[in-house]
Amino acid sequence: RSVIKTYFDSFLKKRPIGFLNSFIFQDLGSDCGIADGNYTFEMDDKDGKRVSVLARFTFVINLKTGLIMTHHSSSNPTGETTSI
């Protein structure tokens, strides 16, 4: 838990703003669903300059409780950022 908290603390220091680009939801039955798609984050880079980062995400959701059971997010493989 401490490693996860450290990651999100450092991420929030970049002042991210997210925009949903695409979204697909699959109801797998047995109280399980998967949501995945792409989003763009605007955030500060290491020099404090605002950049735009395209990323993809996957959530596995317990449909009975609404809790996110697992989550993955990463920047697109190109690793490209654009200045805003």
Side-chain angles (χ1 to χ4, degrees):
R1 290 187 181 263
S2 67
V3 174
I4 294 169
K5 182 178 181 331
T6 299
Y7 168 80
F8 280 103
D9 286 346
S10 66
F11 182 71
L12 291 175
K13 288 179 183 176
K14 298 175 183 181
R15 302 179 313 123
I17 299 172
F19 303 93
L20 188 61
N21 300 331
S22 68
F23 177 84
I24 298 171
F25 182 78
Q26 303 170 66
D27 184 338
L28 302 178
S30 300
D31 301 323
C32 182
I34 295 177
D36 63 336
N38 292 288
Y39 44 44
T40 300
F41 276 109
E42 291 179 3
M43 66 181 83
D44 297 339
D45 69 5
K46 63 183 178 192
D47 299 319
K49 187 168 123 183
R50 290 300 278 177
V51 295
S52 180
V53 179
L54 183 61
R56 57 188 188 253
F57 66 90
T58 303
F59 291 93
V60 176
I61 303 166
N62 180 317
L63 299 177
K64 199 173 221 177
T65 64
L67 294 175
I68 297 169
M69 304 309 292
T70 196
H71 165 235
H72 174 262
S73 180
S74 59
S75 60
N76 277 0
T78 62
E80 292 180 27
T81 60
T82 56
S83 297
I84 301 174

